[in-house]
Amino acid sequence: MIYDNYTIFTPGPVAMSKDILEIGAQQTPYFRNQEFSNILLQCEQDLLELLNAPKNSRVVFLTASGTAGLESVVMNLLGDNDKSIVINGGGFGERFVSLCESYNKPHTQYKVKNTNLSDIETICNPTGHNSFIINAHETSIGTLYDLDAIGKYTKKHNLLNIVDAISMFVTDELDMQKHNIDTVILSSQKGLALPPGLTMVVLNPKAIKRIQNIQSHYFNFKNYLTDGLRGQTPYTPCVTIILQLKARLDQIKKDGGIKSTISKANQLATYFREQIINMNLDYKFFTPYMPNAMTTLQPTTKTATQVVQQLEQQYKIVVCPNGGELKDTIFRVSHMGNLTIQDIDSLLMALKEI
């Protein structure tokens, strides 16, 4: 399957820049040396700065998918005597619930709909809980939750705040100190615009103290933190993606920092949404709580499945279909990665013709 002549609007993988693609085409170098250690240490420092992580925070680099980040956090940070509030607003919230169930971690599930949790105090009862787990952006439906309100809530009730930020990092505001976040889960294939395969778990000192002794070789955070002090990982990392990560982080700094990347995503998202309205297209926005990262559309004259298929087959434009009960109801359009206003215009004209 070759996508060279396609325009990709999926929320992961996303369109990558030429510079990043060129690194991926090079021979993978040996990595158990100081040169690679320096690269990994710099990546850690850059990520902590982008997140405004508190002093003595650390990053665990996992060669794995984003779900492995979710699972490893459940394994390492939640003890048998801990109890978590888990927000379930869609497919990815359901995944956190499933992981807690798989590892027999005590939890209370809150199924939410049509809210960004700005009213969280009226929704979740903190009594008897010491952790809070949420997908900052419930990517299955395109809802961005209110991290300010959640941060104030978790601080007030002394809850360990665990945030999956995989699909909103570098496109929407994410500040560990401002939002009182203790653990952030990131992945390479979304806002960072890299190939899939690298997941990063960012831990502040409070979260580090919560790390459990677990029966796992590959997902044991203590081993990663120890080896990370010298810029290495316990097991073979995705070397090439880490080299691409270094280049991408350098690119973000060169382009004006995290505020600039957020601004770019906001400009693309705002333009797309305004044109959907101005062109009087037959699509509705599925939620009012949209991130910069993505727009979820509901066609009014065709099924979502028909629109997705026509875009790919007739226009070589790839958007993201949904599964389950929303398969024929909605599809998703990413504003992440190496996209331009011209790309958005091509999509809009295709949507109009369809």
Side-chain angles (χ1 to χ4, degrees):
M1 183 179 293
I2 299 175
Y3 276 123
D4 286 348
N5 298 318
Y6 287 72
T7 306
I8 301 176
F9 287 94
T10 55
V14 303
M16 294 182 280
S17 69
K18 182 180 178 182
D19 291 344
I20 297 301
L21 290 171
E22 288 177 349
I23 294 172
Q26 296 173 12
Q27 169 64 44
T28 300
Y30 183 62
F31 62 95
R32 296 297 191 196
N33 53 38
Q34 193 57 50
E35 183 179 3
F36 183 79
S37 291
N38 291 340
I39 289 171
L40 197 66
L41 288 168
Q42 188 60 56
C43 286
E44 178 177 38
Q45 183 59 41
D46 289 346
L47 287 169
L48 294 176
E49 289 180 5
L50 289 178
L51 289 164
N52 190 30
K55 185 179 179 181
N56 297 322
S57 295
R58 297 289 307 281
V59 181
V60 170
F61 292 91
L62 295 170
T63 296
S65 69
T67 298
L70 275 59
E71 182 166 3
S72 66
V73 164
V74 169
M75 294 170 66
N76 281 272
L77 300 187
L78 303 181
D80 294 337
N81 296 321
D82 295 320
K83 190 173 184 181
S84 304
I85 292 172
V86 184
I87 299 299
N88 180 1
F92 292 97
E94 180 64 37
R95 192 167 300 180
F96 260 135
V97 172
S98 178
L99 287 167
C100 288
E101 291 174 347
S102 296
Y103 288 97
N104 296 314
K105 302 297 183 183
H107 66 282
T108 302
Q109 171 187 187
Y110 284 90
K111 289 189 175 183
V112 298
K113 191 175 181 180
N114 300 324
T115 177
N116 67 347
L117 297 179
S118 60
D119 54 347
I120 188 169
E121 286 281 3
T122 67
I123 296 173
C124 300
N125 181 4
T127 304
H129 299 82
N130 63 356
S131 304
F132 184 92
I133 303 175
I134 190 168
N135 314 93
H137 169 211
E138 177 47 71
T139 324
S140 66
I141 57 172
T143 293
L144 181 70
Y145 294 120
D146 187 339
L147 293 182
D148 282 317
I150 292 165
K152 292 173 183 176
Y153 175 83
T154 55
K155 183 176 182 179
K156 176 181 177 181
H157 300 291
N158 193 29
L159 304 174
L160 187 77
N161 191 7
I162 298 170
V163 176
D164 159 24
I166 290 173
S167 61
M168 52 85 73
F169 179 52
V170 309
T171 59
D172 294 84
E173 186 184 15
L174 183 67
D175 186 312
M176 290 185 71
Q177 295 192 65
K178 175 182 176 181
H179 297 137
N180 189 48
I181 299 173
D182 301 301
T183 301
V184 173
I185 305 164
L186 309 172
S187 204
S188 53
Q189 77 275 16
K190 297 191 185 287
L192 285 169
L194 306 174
L198 174 64
T199 288
M200 296 139 281
V201 180
V202 185
L203 306 163
N204 74 2
K206 180 180 177 180
I208 292 172
K209 290 180 181 178
R210 286 278 296 269
I211 295 176
Q212 310 288 309
N213 293 314
I214 66 169
Q215 298 300 312
S216 172
H217 287 282
Y218 195 79
F219 289 122
N220 194 315
F221 280 0
K222 290 185 177 182
N223 294 338
Y224 281 88
L225 293 179
T226 298
D227 282 15
L229 291 172
R230 58 187 180 91
Q232 290 288 333
T233 57
Y235 310 101
T236 302
C238 47
V239 177
T240 297
I241 301 179
I242 289 173
L243 297 180
Q244 292 171 310
L245 173 64
K246 174 63 166 59
R248 176 69 170 119
L249 295 173
D250 287 344
Q251 186 182 72
I252 289 173
K253 288 188 283 187
K254 181 181 177 182
D255 291 344
I258 190 72
K259 290 184 178 180
S260 178
T261 64
I262 291 173
S263 176
K264 180 197 172 186
N266 177 261
Q267 289 172 12
L268 292 174
T270 300
Y271 178 77
F272 179 68
R273 293 163 190 168
E274 287 178 346
Q275 292 303 105
I276 290 287
I277 296 171
N278 294 340
M279 295 171 67
N280 197 29
L281 300 183
D282 296 324
Y283 303 88
K284 297 190 297 183
F285 301 123
F286 188 66
T287 172
Y289 310 113
M290 294 181 283
N292 297 326
M294 194 182 84
T295 299
T296 303
L297 291 177
Q298 181 175 357
T300 58
T301 59
K302 292 190 175 187
T303 69
T305 302
Q306 289 173 322
V307 174
V308 170
Q309 290 175 346
Q310 283 188 259
L311 284 172
E312 183 166 359
Q313 294 169 3
Q314 298 178 24
Y315 300 91
K316 292 188 174 183
I317 292 173
V318 185
V319 296
C320 191
N322 258 61
E325 61 183 21
L326 293 176
K327 177 182 178 181
D328 289 326
T329 304
I330 61 175
F331 65 92
R332 294 166 287 165
V333 176
S334 166
H335 309 300
M336 297 179 275
N338 192 40
L339 294 172
T340 65
I341 291 293
Q342 289 72 32
D343 295 324
I344 297 286
D345 283 338
S346 296
L347 173 58
L348 287 165
M349 290 309 299
L351 290 173
K352 180 178 180 180
E353 290 178 15
I354 290 175

